[in-house]
Amino acid sequence: MLMFLKFRNFSHSIKYTQLKNQNPCFEFLRLCHFDSKLGLGSSSLAPTLPPQNNVAIFWDLDNKPPKTVPPFEAAIKLKTAVCSFGFVKYMVAYANRHAFSYVPQVVREERKHRKSLNQLENKGVIKPVESYLCRVCGRNFYNNEKFINHFKQIHEREQQKRLNQIESARGKRRVMLVAKYAMKMQKYKNAARDIVTPKVGYGLADELKRAGFWVRTVLDKPQAADVALKDHMVDMMDKRRAECLVLVSDDSDFVHVLKEAKSRCLKTVVVGDVNDGALKRVADAGFSWQEILMGKAKKDAETVVGRWKDRDVLKRLEWTYNPELEKNLHGMVYESDNYESKDEYDGNYSEDGDIDDILDGHDVGCLQKEDARGWWELDSNPEITSQSC
């Protein structure tokens, strides 16, 4: 037991010497006392970051669908540019059924070009430079149509079998099947995105959902998407869920909503292709789709945020005239003056009366004689002062 205690003391002394050599301030810290609330490892000493503004993106797909770039790429670049204004908490997109079934001209041309290449490959006129790799099983193909047929006949059927098993299962078994097939289903979706052509449209809704947007389909009525988008924006403003609203549209019907947001001291940003549109004239900042895709909007957003901070500082420093407050204040002063004058008239309260009670008649006469002289006449001779009294 004695040997164990000696060994423990020896090991502690070695550790203390090593720590002292590594950190010269350790000896000073050991002799000083620090409050436990302000310890060296306390989080209270860490600098507190200013709270970020919550940003909400509202996308009018009927008016401004992504045409020149894929939907997923457009959504990601939009979110990256808007992140400069704060934390992107809400991303909403509204459109009717026709917007999701519409196929842009660029996509139609790509499909037409791919069809012509498939015909030339089948005839043996051209050969692909690189083989077509199946990202599910790893097989290589030198004909695009054979590659698509392989994917549909094998992997698409397997995916459908998995979905049927999950739909037919209940309770704990269903949870186990979802966990079992999660990796395979995700692998199939990533591969099918570039191989299988969507049956309706070009996959606008699925791509936006993959980017994190909440996509909502409205009724096939005129201005149905605009009405739903306006109601959602007003509800967001009423509940104060966001401090910055980003609207992706060129529709001038949203002017009143932006004015309402500015009247509630909210920041407004518009993304559209019309340079001198009504929305950009009302909003605090405006960007075009070209600036969003090129990354220029992200750089300009820093300048906009700095201008907002300066405006908030000036707004806190400026004085505002509140007529109701001033009226109430002046009314209180006027009532207090009337109350004092009434007391003096009734004789209930008088400072002169209190002085008369304290002073006797001789002292009052001295005060009256002193008041007869001017304030500039100084008493240089104390004897004269005593004789006058």
Side-chain angles (χ1 to χ4, degrees), residues 155-172:
H155 302 303
E156 190 172 358
R157 289 182 179 179
E158 292 178 351
Q159 178 73 0
Q160 192 62 38
K161 289 180 181 179
R162 299 189 198 102
L163 294 176
N164 293 335
Q165 289 181 11
I166 293 174
E167 288 293 330
S168 60
R170 293 291 182 272
K172 185 178 179 181

Side-chain angles (χ1 to χ4, degrees), residues 128-146:
V129 180
E130 296 180 356
S131 60
Y132 302 102
L133 176 63
C134 179
R135 290 190 291 173
V136 177
C137 62
R139 291 183 59 183
N140 292 321
F141 297 87
Y142 289 92
N143 188 288
N144 188 52
E145 285 192 354
K146 292 182 179 180

Side-chain angles (χ1 to χ4, degrees), residues 333-388:
V333 174
Y334 181 73
E335 289 177 359
S336 62
D337 293 342
N338 291 340
Y339 181 74
E340 291 179 358
S341 60
K342 183 178 180 181
D343 289 343
E344 292 177 1
Y345 178 78
D346 295 339
N348 297 331
Y349 171 78
S350 176
E351 294 182 357
D352 295 339
D354 294 341
I355 294 175
D356 293 341
D357 294 337
I358 297 172
L359 301 176
D360 55 2
H362 178 71
D363 294 335
V364 172
C366 292
L367 289 174
Q368 291 177 355
K369 289 179 181 180
E370 288 182 359
D371 294 338
R373 296 196 307 270
W375 59 269
W376 60 88
E377 297 179 5
L378 301 178
D379 296 334
S380 58
N381 191 355
E383 295 179 356
I384 299 175
T385 306
S386 60
Q387 290 177 1
S388 61

Side-chain angles (χ1 to χ4, degrees), residues 1-17:
M1 185 67 182
L2 183 61
M3 294 296 295
F4 173 74
L5 293 176
K6 289 182 179 180
F7 177 75
R8 189 184 66 175
N9 294 335
F10 179 71
S11 62
H12 284 331
S13 62
I14 293 175
K15 291 181 181 179
Y16 173 75
T17 306

